[in-house]
Amino acid sequence: MVISNKSEYALLALLELATCYPKGEALQIREIAALQDIPNRYLEQLLATLRRGGLIKSIRGAKGGYVLARDPQKITVFDAFSCMEGSDITVSSNEPTPNTVEGELIQEVWLEARQAANSVLEKYTLQDLCDRRATREQKELMYYI
């Protein structure tokens, strides 16, 4: 199973927006791009997809930019991936499986793996990821004498 760059970058952008959500601040494309080292042009396309998917909103004006469309506790990692990739994460193989009993068994295992992956992604919200990041940053700041 592979996570595409577009899904990873979209999730990184969503994390930045989730960080600003409690303050009600909007982030501009160039700010998100600089914080996460994402090319501006590529980020524009990703944010447009996230906006069409209902995960973010754009705000016009001098203090405009992008904000989350709803609370980070209500946006799952699965929501982000399904917005970018389609209805669910697919488990791809380069060659089609033959239409045999063995091929059907393999497809059943892949389906189960995909369902398990989706279940994990549905379990975590953007807020969960923000909390984990804050915990790790706090640990990195600690030093011992």
Side-chain angles (χ1 to χ4, degrees):
M1 300 175 84
V2 178
I3 297 172
S4 69
N5 280 340
K6 73 177 178 178
S7 290
E8 185 175 351
Y9 284 158
L11 196 53
L12 291 171
L14 288 170
L15 281 173
E16 291 303 331
L17 295 173
T19 301
C20 295
Y21 185 84
K23 300 175 244 171
E25 296 175 353
L27 283 178
Q28 295 178 349
I29 290 175
R30 62 181 163 75
E31 294 173 306
I32 299 168
L35 288 167
Q36 290 298 330
D37 196 27
I38 303 170
N40 279 356
R41 294 267 188 216
Y42 192 48
L43 184 58
E44 285 178 32
Q45 295 169 12
L46 299 177
L47 293 177
T49 301
L50 291 170
R51 188 175 51 75
R52 284 191 302 274
L55 296 180
I56 64 173
K57 298 186 288 189
S58 59
I59 298 174
R60 295 181 181 264
K63 296 196 178 208
Y66 290 90
V67 295
L68 291 180
R70 55 187 194 268
D71 192 291
Q73 293 177 346
K74 295 184 177 165
I75 300 175
T76 65
V77 175
F78 179 80
D79 293 335
F81 281 117
S82 62
C83 180
M84 299 309 295
E85 303 292 342
S87 63
D88 65 354
I89 305 302
T90 58
V91 181
S92 63
S93 61
N94 292 336
E95 297 180 20
T97 306
N99 200 13
T100 63
V101 172
E102 294 82 3
E104 290 174 11
L105 293 172
I106 291 169
Q107 288 302 317
E108 289 172 10
V109 171
W110 282 126
L111 177 62
E112 187 177 339
R114 183 174 49 225
Q115 290 169 341
N118 289 345
S119 176
V120 170
L121 297 176
E122 288 172 344
K123 181 173 133 180
Y124 294 100
T125 65
L126 291 179
Q127 187 63 52
D128 294 332
L129 296 181
C130 286
D131 294 345
R132 282 182 170 200
R133 178 173 65 179
T135 301
R136 287 198 183 165
E137 286 173 349
Q138 187 65 30
K139 284 180 182 177
E140 288 176 10
L141 290 175
M142 289 185 188
Y143 57 91
Y144 300 93
I145 300 176

